[in-house]
Amino acid sequence: MEKLGLGLDDLDQQQGQEGEKERPQLSAQEERRLKIQRCIQSLVHATHCREINCQHLTCAKMKRVFEHTKTCQQKARGGCHICCGLIHLCCYHAKRCLERECVLPYCRHIKLKLRQQQRRRQRVQALHQAMAA
């Protein structure tokens, strides 16, 4: 059976073997941040890539993840770890994305929700300030 996932561990193994001695030891938190950043880069690449036999190491895997999320029945119930992982990556991306018409899955919707949450927090904060005055 073919392994399907976002490949945080796969990326770590592939890139860890390339320059293990050249890179200084990083904290666990910094390692995780770098893994997530590499996954987001792969996600962005796969979203824009139109080549069938792309040479990018994780492109085909990310394309399979996209296809999986289109048909996943467990996603609606929040039970699919692949779909949840993709959504988490898209959230990380959306928090820093500056493109108005980003083509990454869920990015526009997540940015909209983030703006709504920020406005709600600002209204609550203004209400608390008015009540304190």
Side-chain angles (χ1 to χ4, degrees):
M1 182 180 243
E2 188 176 330
K3 180 181 170 189
L4 182 67
L6 298 177
L8 284 173
D9 297 328
D10 297 343
L11 281 172
D12 188 42
Q13 289 172 356
Q14 290 168 355
Q15 294 179 346
Q17 294 169 354
E18 294 170 0
E20 218 166 90
K21 294 177 184 170
E22 302 157 8
R23 189 173 52 161
Q25 285 292 74
L26 300 174
S27 69
Q29 184 178 11
E30 184 65 13
E31 278 289 334
R32 179 167 167 70
R33 190 188 69 72
L34 289 173
K35 284 181 188 180
I36 291 169
Q37 189 60 39
R38 286 190 299 261
C39 257
I40 290 172
Q41 288 170 349
S42 295
L43 180 71
V44 170
H45 170 84
T47 302
H48 294 289
C49 181
R50 299 293 173 244
E51 289 186 41
I52 294 170
N53 296 318
C54 180
Q55 297 300 310
H56 195 270
L57 295 173
T58 58
C59 183
K61 182 179 270 190
M62 284 295 181
K63 287 177 182 177
R64 286 192 309 270
V65 169
F66 293 148
E67 289 304 312
H68 166 82
T69 58
K70 290 178 185 177
T71 60
C72 182
Q73 299 299 312
Q74 294 178 344
K75 174 176 58 177
R77 297 186 300 269
C80 179
H81 71 281
I82 296 168
C83 295
C84 287
L86 177 64
I87 291 170
H88 287 295
L89 275 180
C90 290
C91 285
Y92 280 111
H93 165 80
K95 287 178 183 178
R96 292 165 185 79
C97 179
L98 301 175
E99 292 183 41
R100 287 182 57 90
E101 298 297 323
C102 184
V103 296
L104 251 64
Y106 311 111
C107 183
R108 282 181 255 168
H109 181 71
I110 292 168
K111 285 194 285 192
L112 176 66
K113 291 290 185 185
L114 289 171
R115 276 189 240 114
Q116 289 172 347
Q117 287 176 351
Q118 185 178 14
R119 288 182 193 128
R120 214 173 295 133
R121 274 188 247 121
Q122 289 172 344
R123 284 193 300 260
V124 167
Q125 187 178 20
L127 183 62
H128 285 298
Q129 289 173 350
M131 289 173 54

